[in-house]
């Protein structure tokens, strides 16, 4: 399986794909964690990997009417047994049909319209949104529709509730919707709702198929998100309140990032992250302060150095994590 996937990723640029845009990706991680010492994975979802993304627009006399995107990673998880370490991760796999101005139908594997993840691309970044905590994953299989409601953007989706793996069992489903302002006056704001029964798994992969939990988990949520640009500085964040079975979940994420005026290749970012799995019992609480320095070596290659200081109600000691990432994305 590993050899076949590598051949697909490396040979894919030739032949009939030449009319679209194809990018290769390399993601290398190394770090040191207070509890685990040397590590090469982060948040169980970001691993050492190679990948590709193929983007193809289809046009007629009136312009682009159909767009396809396929984004794959061949990842290696050093925390599992060697025979299970390699996996294929399908991140984006969708077709979008646009019948008219501002209207679009999407089918495939895409981001649920809920929270800040809808407006950001955190595929390669160390900083993440609340999506993986609130929903359990960042992308899911299903159908979506987007349009305008007056001066606002509106998106809604019906999905399987399985995340990266393609599965429907235990009555799983996910319904989500988001209404947001357009990017005006350098600011954007959104309000989201979601409900569903989502599947759980310890393996964030598509192939081999992950091992599913014995039942689906009922989830509901409401989220507010915002982003504001002030010169070379961006402020963004989101606030979540919801239910996971009978427990109340809550979370807040804020992020500040700025470029250095005389060194535009360097970006400094600081994220504050809070999440609790049970607000009433004050259980499963995590508070993280996470500064990251990003240096752009070229248009295709970026180095990131981050330090996460985590305070958790379930751990006796504060967890500390130092991460170094080399990320390449180019044709």
């Amino acid at each position: 399986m590993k050899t076949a996937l590598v051949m697909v990723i490396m040979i894919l640029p030739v032949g009939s794909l030449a009319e679209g845009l194809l990018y290769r990706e390399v993601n290398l991680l190394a770090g040191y964690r207070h509890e685990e010492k040397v590590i090469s994975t982060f948040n169980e979802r970001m691993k050492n990997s190679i990948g590709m993304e193929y983007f193809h627009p289809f046009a007629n006399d009136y312009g682009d009417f159909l767009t396809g995107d396929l984004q794959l990673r061949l990842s290696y998880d050093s925390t599992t047994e060697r025979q299970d370490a390699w996996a294929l991760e399908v991140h984006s796999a969708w077709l979008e049909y646009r019948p008219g101005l501002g209207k679009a139908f999407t089918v495939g594997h895409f981001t649920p319209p809920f929270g800040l993840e809808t407006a950001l691309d955190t595929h390669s970044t160390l900083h993440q949104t609340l999506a993986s905590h609130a929903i359990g994953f960042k992308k899911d299989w299903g159908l979506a529709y987007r349009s305008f409601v007056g001066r606002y953007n509106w998106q809604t989706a019906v999905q399987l509730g399985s995340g990266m793996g393609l599965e429907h069992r235990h009555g799983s489903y996910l319904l989500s919707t988001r209404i947001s302002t357009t990017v005006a006056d350098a600011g954007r704001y959104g309000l989201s709702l979601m409900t569903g029964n989502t599947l759980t798994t310890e393996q964030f992969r598509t192939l081999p198929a992950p091992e599913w939990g014995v039942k689906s988990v009922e989830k509901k949520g409401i989220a507010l998100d915002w982003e504001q640009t002030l010169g070379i500085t961006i402020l963004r964040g989101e606030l979540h309140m919801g239910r996971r079975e009978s427990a109340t979940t809550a979370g807040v994420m804020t992020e500040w990032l700025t470029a250095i005026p005389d060194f535009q290749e360097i970006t400094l970012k600081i994220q504050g992250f809070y999440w609790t799995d049970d607000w009433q019992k004050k259980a499963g609480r995590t508070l993280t302060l996470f500064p990251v320095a990003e240096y752009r070596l070229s248009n295709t290659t970026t180095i990131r150095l981050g330090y996460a200081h985590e305070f958790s109600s379930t751990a006796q000691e504060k967890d500390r994590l130092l991460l170094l990432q080399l990320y390449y994305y180019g044709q």
Side-chain angles (χ1 to χ4, degrees), residues 82-159:
R82 179 171 298 181
Q83 63 270 21
D84 298 323
W86 292 97
L88 175 66
E89 301 176 0
V90 176
H91 289 266
S92 294
W94 49 259
L95 285 172
E96 182 179 84
Y97 171 65
R98 292 185 291 277
L101 182 63
K103 299 179 181 180
F105 295 91
T106 304
V107 59
H109 194 240
F110 54 86
T111 303
F114 183 81
L116 191 61
E117 188 69 32
T118 313
L120 292 183
D121 182 7
T122 63
H123 178 72
S124 66
T125 59
L126 297 180
H127 284 171
Q128 298 292 303
T129 64
L130 295 175
S132 294
H133 287 75
I135 302 176
F137 40 77
K138 296 195 297 182
K139 296 182 187 292
D140 196 13
W141 302 89
L143 301 168
Y145 173 74
R146 63 179 171 86
S147 183
F148 291 114
V149 178
R151 297 174 54 247
Y152 299 95
N153 294 320
W154 173 64
Q155 298 172 267
T156 190
V158 180
Q159 294 170 283

Side-chain angles (χ1 to χ4, degrees), residues 8 24 56 75 110 113 129 153 167 173 175 227 231 282 294 323:
V8 168
R24 293 185 180 92
H56 196 139
S75 65
F110 54 86
T129 64
N153 294 320
E167 186 70 22
Y173 73 95
L175 304 177
E227 181 174 280
K282 299 181 179 180
E294 180 177 293
L323 270 176

